[in-house]
């Protein structure tokens, strides 16, 4: 999957990933390959994404995510 994380200050991350866990406003969820399309609001917490078995963390205050065809686009306030 292809992940892009942006903020008002610019692009924070642009990489391929195996999975992404997100703090949704209705509850946390994880996006895996082949995930159904979705748009969700994000609450304060951590984005955790795994690439080649290694986990990376990005803190956020709020934001939105769009998932479509194994492309994950996240816009956040840090």
């Amino acid at each position: 999957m292809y992940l892009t994380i942006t903020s008002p200050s610019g692009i924070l991350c642009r990489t391929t990933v195996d999975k992404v866990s997100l703090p949704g406003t209705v509850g946390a969820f994880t996006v895996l390959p082949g995930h159904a399309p979705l748009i969700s609001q994000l609450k304060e917490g951590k984005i955790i994404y795994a690439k080649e078995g290694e986990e990376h963390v990005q803190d956020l205050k709020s934001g939105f995510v769009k998932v479509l065809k194994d492309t994950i686009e996240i816009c956040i306030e840090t």
Side-chain angles (χ1 to χ4, degrees), residues 44-76:
E44 187 170 359
K46 297 181 183 303
I47 298 169
I48 302 170
Y49 57 96
K51 179 178 179 176
E52 299 172 356
E54 186 176 336
E55 287 192 346
H56 303 270
V57 177
Q58 172 65 57
D59 293 322
L60 74 142
K61 290 184 182 176
S62 65
F64 289 89
V65 60
K66 178 176 98 173
V67 178
L68 182 63
K69 297 181 181 177
D70 285 341
T71 298
I72 305 160
E73 298 174 344
I74 305 172
C75 183
I76 62 170

Side-chain angles (χ1 to χ4, degrees), residues 1-74:
M1 299 183 299
Y2 192 72
L3 171 66
T4 304
I5 302 174
T6 58
S7 75
S9 62
I11 296 172
L12 303 176
C13 172
R14 185 179 285 160
T15 189
T16 57
V17 296
D18 301 319
K19 69 177 182 176
V20 180
S21 296
L22 301 153
T25 55
V26 180
F29 61 97
T30 299
V31 177
L32 298 169
H35 198 286
L38 73 82
I39 295 175
S40 179
Q41 185 176 0
L42 303 174
K43 66 178 183 177
E44 187 170 359
K46 297 181 183 303
I47 298 169
I48 302 170
Y49 57 96
K51 179 178 179 176
E52 299 172 356
E54 186 176 336
E55 287 192 346
H56 303 270
V57 177
Q58 172 65 57
D59 293 322
L60 74 142
K61 290 184 182 176
S62 65
F64 289 89
V65 60
K66 178 176 98 173
V67 178
L68 182 63
K69 297 181 181 177
D70 285 341
T71 298
I72 305 160
E73 298 174 344
I74 305 172

